[in-house]
Amino acid sequence: MQTPFQLSEIQLALCLVFVLLAPLAGAGVALINAGLGRSRNAAHAMVAALCVIAIATCVCFLCGRAFQGYPGGPAHVIAIAGKPWNWLGNDAWFFRGLVSFAGSGTGIPLRDAPPVLAACFAIVCSGLAGLIPLGSGADRWRLAAICSSTALLAGITFPLFAHWCWGGGWLAQLGVNYGMGRGYLDAGGAGPIHAVGGLTALAITWIVGPRRGKYSHDGMPMAIPGHDAVVVLFGCLLAFVGWVGLNAAGALLFVGVEPGRVALIGLNTLLGAAAAALVVALITRVRFGKPDASLTANGWMSGLVAGSAGCAFLPPAAAFLVGLLAGVLVTLAVELLELRLSVDDPGGAISAHAVGGLWGVLAVGLFGRLEAGTPGQLLAQGVGLATLGGFILPLTYGLNYLLNRATPLRVSQEGEHQGMDLHELGAGAYPEFVTHTEEFMR
């Protein structure tokens, strides 16, 4: 079983600061989702974001953190071919036993601080993973269905994979059990947060289908522009601040990096985002004659996502290259999904988070600088990729498919035409302004 890292007081103080910064990543994602949707659905997008965070917090408190566990904590372990496979956390529900009060007037023992910070971090991460599919289901995903789907994500899908890589699970043990480097490594959550959230977004788009008016009778996609590019780009800047906190907190809690490496994490995070945004702006400038604001925003996000896994292990030049390739991949993915596969993803969540997250996981094995004498890291990262694509995607699709059979995920045709704000909330986000219907696209 993976042993917990012993954190110094400096590491704990830094970790607390970064955990407090991490929610800004969720705020940025929520603003991007709202801005890339239609104006008549903006309030719905933000209310849904608040509900997602609330549901994720409650489910994490109930059972999610117990299933995710913490390195060295209780877990369900089975033996296969003489090797232990740690597959699920077995901590107490409702955060029971998380903090041991030493007695009257003696305070809380310092040893309890890392698990408490990890629990706070788990809440933030499960909420962020739940926000990602909102961008793909925008303009047509019912609020009640969003809450139900988030409960499944925060209670099953996210903690399961998070335990495997962060909680001392079998992916983290690949190095000890099978000599694959240091086992699956992911400091900032490219796999458990972004790939899991992005693959869930893909499942949601498959189930709910494209928006009305997105595709013509001959299958050609129609442009449905987002209603507020300023909100989207501000969300990108806000997300960057949160990403630094996300990456640094994850590296301190689950990788055990020294405090001095935090500066490298911040630098790599910025380099990846900048490289991805610039290459997308250049590609769209060459292809369309002018840079595309929404695609550039998706490029920025894909750079943040791709750099998350290796933020603590990549030299700056490699972080820049990872971001550069993430920008190329996001433009190719958007075109493939929209033109070839008829996947309507208004927020670009699949391209930025699923594709970017998977690329980031692989990049650790390709470019990560680890200790000498630890070969096989690329194979360990490949096992993580195979697990995400071969198990997590079918799992999240199956859960949401069953949910859709119980209660439809998609709003009625009348509700989609009227707008989610009026149909589900009874009031619009911009009551003093005119919001457009499908006639705007004709």
Side-chain angles (χ1 to χ4, degrees):
M1 180 179 294
Q2 181 183 353
T3 57
F5 295 103
Q6 300 299 318
L7 302 183
S8 66
E9 292 187 10
I10 295 177
Q11 287 173 308
L12 289 174
L14 284 174
C15 191
L16 174 61
V17 171
F18 290 125
V19 168
L20 294 176
L21 283 179
L24 293 178
V29 171
L31 288 174
I32 292 169
N33 291 340
L36 289 176
R38 296 180 183 178
S39 58
R40 65 178 189 260
N41 305 314
H44 185 273
M46 295 306 295
V47 170
L50 288 176
C51 290
V52 163
I53 295 171
I55 293 290
T57 300
C58 294
V59 173
C60 187
F61 169 66
L62 171 65
C63 63
R65 189 265 172 189
F67 293 155
Q68 178 179 339
Y70 188 73
H76 296 283
V77 181
I78 58 176
I80 299 179
K83 301 289 185 179
W85 284 63
N86 184 333
W87 66 277
L88 186 66
N90 191 29
D91 277 342
W93 290 23
F94 301 106
F95 288 178
R96 288 183 295 108
L98 188 63
V99 178
S100 57
F101 294 90
S104 177
T106 60
I108 299 173
L110 184 63
R111 66 176 182 273
D112 286 345
V116 172
L117 285 172
C120 295
F121 192 65
I123 290 174
V124 173
C125 293
S126 60
L128 179 56
L131 289 172
I132 294 169
L134 293 182
S136 296
D139 300 346
R140 62 209 191 275
W141 196 8
R142 295 190 311 114
L143 183 59
I146 290 171
C147 294
S148 300
S149 180
T150 300
L152 294 174
L153 176 65
I156 300 176
T157 318
F158 169 79
L160 189 62
F161 192 80
H163 175 74
W164 293 346
C165 63
W166 280 345
W170 67 271
L171 283 175
Q173 294 176 316
L174 288 175
V176 174
N177 289 339
Y178 298 100
M180 298 184 189
R182 287 180 54 182
Y184 176 87
L185 280 178
D186 193 336
I193 302 173
H194 306 293
V196 169
L199 293 174
T200 300
L202 177 59
I204 294 298
T205 56
W206 277 340
I207 293 170
V208 301
R211 291 168 290 176
R212 293 179 62 247
K214 176 61 181 178
Y215 291 96
S216 62
H217 294 296
D218 57 0
M220 289 300 296
M222 306 289 290
I224 305 179
H227 82 279
D228 198 332
V230 175
V231 166
V232 172
L233 297 176
F234 176 68
C236 290
L237 298 177
L238 199 62
F240 165 70
V241 180
W243 238 265
V244 174
L246 195 72
N247 290 345
L252 288 166
L253 279 171
F254 302 119
V255 184
V257 302
E258 60 277 9
R261 195 171 293 197
V262 168
L264 175 65
I265 292 172
L267 177 62
N268 284 346
T269 302
L270 179 58
L271 286 173
L278 284 176
V279 75
V280 172
L282 179 61
I283 291 173
T284 54
R285 171 68 173 82
V286 171
R287 294 192 61 185
F288 309 128
K290 296 179 182 179
D292 185 276
S294 62
L295 282 177
T296 301
N298 280 329
W300 175 272
M301 295 302 293
S302 71
L304 291 175
V305 170
S308 293
C311 60
F313 313 109
L314 300 178
F320 185 85
L321 178 60
V322 169
L324 203 70
L325 293 176
V328 174
L329 287 173
V330 78
T331 55
L332 296 175
V334 167
E335 181 173 346
L336 174 65
L337 291 169
E338 187 172 277
L339 293 178
R340 308 298 180 189
L341 302 178
S342 299
V343 173
D344 183 17
D345 181 11
I350 302 169
S351 304
H353 293 273
V355 175
L358 294 173
W359 160 236
V361 168
L362 182 63
V364 175
L366 293 174
F367 305 114
R369 288 189 177 177
L370 307 174
E371 298 87 351
T374 54
Q377 190 62 48
L378 181 59
L379 184 57
Q381 301 303 115
V383 173
L385 286 178
T387 304
L388 286 163
F391 181 80
I392 295 298
L393 177 58
L395 174 64
T396 190
Y397 179 86
L399 291 173
N400 283 283
Y401 175 82
L402 294 175
L403 179 62
N404 186 54
R405 296 298 297 267
T407 175
L409 299 185
R410 182 164 183 153
V411 72
S412 65
Q413 182 173 329
E414 176 187 357
E416 187 177 355
H417 178 80
Q418 184 183 28
M420 305 292 281
D421 288 358
L422 291 177
H423 183 73
E424 292 215 318
L425 303 180
Y430 312 106
E432 297 181 356
F433 298 92
V434 176
T435 58
H436 297 284
T437 58
E438 276 79 5
E439 288 78 9
F440 174 66
M441 299 183 296
R442 296 175 183 171

